[in-house]
Amino acid sequence: MKKAVCVFFLLVLSALLNGHEFWLEPFRFVLKPGEKVNIKFRVGENFHGENWQGTKSSVEELKLFYKDVDDDLKNMLSDSTAGDSLNLQFFDEGTVMVSYQSTNKYIQISADTFQTYLKEDGLQNAFDFRALNGLSDSMGREYYKRSVKTIFQIGAIKDSSYKKKTGLPLEIIPLRHPYGLKKGQSLPVKILFKDSILANNMVKVWHRQNGKTNMKDLYTDENGRLQVPVSLSGQWMLSVVKMEALSDTSRADWQSYWGSLTWGYK
């Protein structure tokens, strides 16, 4: 019985630590003009997720970047249908980017789980702060926001939509077109937090292909940049977390921001 309880605890802990990834997932990333694209809001672990259970009330901002268009998509979601998705259609060739910013959410978790989560996501500043202030055994009380983007390609004509700044507080920006890469090339990216470089920060690189997912940790340099080695197959995601201590700790001690970027190939 004791062994079964231990295994159950480890499974729950794993879900808490790894089930917090959130991303936008088109049903396909390379499409023909006129082809309909369904974009799901995914949450889960190991780059395998289920539809979120949010509604329009969970959305602070949902925007489309396509050619010269900078459009608000929030009203395309339902006020009442949990797990809603976007259905879009583009008749002209070009690069499309969709960005999503969530409203602020609150979570409270046990001290041990919070400590492990901080280590797993490279949040050493928060881990050290808790240690220095005798808070390592205190419950984790946190507000969090999601700042996520996806980039997909319609037809062959590529444009600069992929590198437009969206205004997300935590933003992953490719410095080269992800659909213009040649075999053996890496994807350079920069990461901004509140419009400033995010230096020496952990970034998780996820690659899913043929039902299997690989993940590795990279770090931004002092200029908030990194080179992501990619293969031109499968689906890709970069995810990053930034956490700040709050001055008003009446309800929460931390404000975190969770960013992701997805793209993929045939």
Side-chain angles (χ1 to χ4, degrees):
M1 173 66 78
K2 188 175 292 185
K3 182 178 180 181
V5 171
C6 182
V7 170
F8 175 74
F9 172 77
L10 289 174
L11 289 172
V12 170
L13 178 61
S14 175
L16 284 169
L17 294 176
N18 299 312
H20 49 220
E21 302 299 338
F22 187 95
W23 65 96
L24 296 178
E25 186 174 293
F27 90 105
R28 195 159 65 246
F29 286 90
V30 180
L31 304 105
K32 298 175 182 178
E35 191 173 3
K36 293 180 180 179
V37 55
N38 176 261
I39 303 174
K40 295 187 183 300
F41 301 76
R42 294 294 203 185
V43 60
E45 55 182 298
N46 204 33
F47 206 5
H48 288 275
E50 300 179 349
N51 259 16
W52 71 327
Q53 291 304 302
T55 62
K56 188 166 70 173
S57 63
S58 300
V59 181
E60 184 173 298
E61 191 171 76
L62 183 63
K63 296 179 71 175
L64 168 71
F65 299 86
Y66 169 61
K67 296 185 177 297
D68 295 326
V69 174
D70 178 351
D71 204 5
D72 183 0
L73 302 179
K74 183 175 177 179
N75 287 331
M76 293 185 69
L77 297 180
S78 170
D79 285 314
S80 57
T81 304
D84 205 359
S85 60
L86 283 174
N87 290 291
L88 304 173
Q89 189 174 20
F90 303 90
F91 293 94
D92 294 328
E93 294 187 342
T95 305
V96 184
M97 180 167 65
V98 175
S99 69
Y100 163 86
Q101 175 63 49
S102 76
T103 55
N104 220 11
K105 305 291 185 182
Y106 177 77
I107 189 171
Q108 182 173 297
I109 54 181
S110 71
D112 287 346
T113 302
F114 194 66
Q115 291 290 98
T116 306
Y117 142 49
L118 294 177
K119 294 294 287 184
E120 289 287 326
D121 283 285
L123 300 170
Q124 194 65 39
N125 65 318
F127 189 90
D128 292 344
F129 180 91
R130 283 166 61 86
L132 287 171
N133 291 277
L135 300 172
S136 297
D137 294 328
S138 299
M139 185 170 291
R141 304 183 309 153
E142 173 190 357
Y143 285 115
Y144 66 94
K145 283 190 171 188
R146 309 285 196 183
S147 301
V148 306
K149 302 193 301 190
T150 190
I151 300 170
F152 53 97
Q153 179 65 35
I154 310 297
I157 298 176
K158 302 172 183 66
D159 56 59
S160 61
S161 296
Y162 74 95
K163 62 181 180 180
K164 289 182 177 179
K165 291 175 67 173
T166 65
L168 295 174
L170 182 57
E171 183 157 24
I172 304 168
I173 302 176
L175 300 177
R176 182 180 293 167
H177 202 302
Y179 299 103
L181 296 177
K182 293 180 171 57
K183 184 177 180 181
Q185 289 184 324
S186 296
L187 180 68
V189 303
K190 67 177 178 181
I191 301 181
L192 301 178
F193 177 62
K194 296 182 178 178
D195 217 27
S196 297
I197 61 172
L198 186 62
N200 308 311
N201 204 93
M202 179 188 286
V203 179
K204 294 182 182 294
V205 181
W206 309 80
H207 181 219
R208 185 173 71 219
Q209 186 173 15
N210 299 325
K212 296 182 179 179
T213 301
N214 292 310
M215 189 278 287
K216 59 184 172 183
D217 297 331
L218 297 179
Y219 285 82
T220 57
D221 64 16
E222 64 275 11
N223 297 311
R225 300 188 178 202
L226 72 158
Q227 294 282 341
V228 182
V230 301
S231 60
L232 304 182
S233 59
Q235 299 180 16
W236 291 86
M237 176 171 67
L238 304 180
S239 63
V240 60
V241 187
K242 174 64 177 175
M243 182 175 281
E244 293 185 312
L246 293 173
S247 54
D248 179 2
T249 59
S250 56
R251 186 179 182 197
D253 302 299
W254 302 95
Q255 173 72 62
S256 65
Y257 300 83
W258 296 76
S260 72
L261 169 69
T262 55
W263 76 97
Y265 306 97
K266 295 180 181 179

